Amino acid sequence: ILHGYTGSPDEFRDFAHDLAVRLNAYVTAPLLPGHGTDVNDLLPLWFDDMYAAAHEHVQEAHASGKPLVIIGHSFGGYLALLCAAAFPPAALVLTVTPYHLRFPLNLPMMSYFLRLKLLWDKKLSEQETQERLGKFYYQYMPGKALWLLLEGKQRADAILKTISSPTLTVHGNTDSLALPDSGYSMLSKTGHNPRNKAVVLDNKSHGIFYGEGRTDVQALIMQFLETELDIQRIVPKKEAAQS
């Protein structure tokens, strides 16, 4: 599981445990470079720093020879896509990846404007703030965050056509960052696996792993992964029997 920019593995603590139990899987959520300390530690780091760490982690998991699943959340979705192109997984899940940005973030030159200020306050609801108590999170967002998202989209566009793994995208229709059609748009540019699925949830913001309905999000992902892993267990058996 690859967390988002200024996110942390803490967001997936309970979900990771459930995945491990239900899927009999080894689940890992690496801490991306510069994260987990002070927000200022993110300032000297760029896209390649994040991707290099994600690539190394996924490469290690892929080397086990066991079925690989990659989940990318928000900015982590771009890292997940690039890793999936390098190490095709049994299944890929992208949650609230901001492929299409909302206004005014989609305005030309907005990334330059935001970089005029090193740090911006994060806008979190009172409920989400309460649910984050006891978990690591930042109260600020580096001004260059939008720049990284745009670079992620550019790099994803270069490899989307190579993605043939069954892919689930999940977005919320009240997300203040990503437009809900982001998932459909990404899947339309992939290798068109017939089991691809784009889901848009009602009344869900960018923090889909928080607040009311988070268990529905987890159940949705769990069901998709269980189905895909079952399919890939059955197909090799059939192929072996035919040979």
Side-chain angles (χ1 to χ4, degrees), residues 136-148:
F136 183 87
Y137 73 100
Y138 292 111
Q139 294 180 320
Y140 304 97
M141 179 72 72
K144 67 179 185 180
L146 181 55
W147 189 283
L148 295 179

Side-chain angles (χ1 to χ4, degrees), residues 3-173:
H3 65 78
Y5 189 64
T6 71
S8 85
D10 268 1
E11 293 182 65
F12 316 104
R13 187 188 301 164
D14 297 335
F15 183 42
H17 176 267
D18 291 343
L19 284 171
V21 173
R22 287 273 296 273
L23 302 179
N24 188 28
Y26 175 71
V27 182
T28 177
L31 185 68
L32 294 176
H35 289 76
T37 54
D38 185 275
V39 69
N40 289 288
D41 292 335
L42 289 171
L43 299 182
L45 301 175
W46 292 92
F47 190 94
D48 282 331
D49 298 301
M50 307 299 168
Y51 176 55
H55 183 278
E56 181 179 0
H57 195 81
V58 173
Q59 183 178 33
E60 182 178 340
H62 180 263
S64 72
K66 297 180 179 180
L68 171 68
V69 169
I70 307 175
I71 300 175
H73 179 67
S74 189
F75 170 78
Y78 290 128
L79 303 179
L81 277 168
L82 294 173
C83 289
F87 310 103
L92 175 65
V93 179
L94 309 172
T95 58
V96 298
T97 302
Y99 189 73
H100 287 164
L101 292 163
R102 281 195 184 274
F103 179 86
L105 296 175
N106 59 356
L107 291 176
M109 309 301 290
M110 180 57 75
S111 61
Y112 291 94
F113 169 73
L114 293 177
R115 286 186 64 191
L116 294 176
K117 188 176 178 181
L118 284 180
L119 299 173
W120 295 81
D121 290 335
K122 271 190 175 182
K123 295 181 179 179
L124 300 175
S125 67
E126 184 176 346
Q127 180 180 0
E128 187 171 339
T129 300
Q130 286 297 316
E131 291 196 12
R132 287 177 180 267
L133 292 177
K135 299 179 180 179
F136 183 87
Y137 73 100
Y138 292 111
Q139 294 180 320
Y140 304 97
M141 179 72 72
K144 67 179 185 180
L146 181 55
W147 189 283
L148 295 179
L149 292 179
L150 294 176
E151 182 167 357
K153 181 180 186 300
Q154 182 179 25
R155 296 199 186 192
D157 281 335
I159 54 88
L160 275 171
K161 64 183 178 181
T162 71
I163 302 297
S164 58
S165 300
T167 303
L168 169 68
T169 66
V170 185
H171 287 81
N173 66 353

Side-chain angles (χ1 to χ4, degrees), residues 170 201 204 208 211-222:
V170 185
L201 302 171
K204 287 301 292 182
I208 62 171
E212 186 177 352
R214 68 183 181 278
T215 55
D216 294 332
V217 173
Q218 295 174 5
L220 172 68
I221 297 172
M222 187 77 74

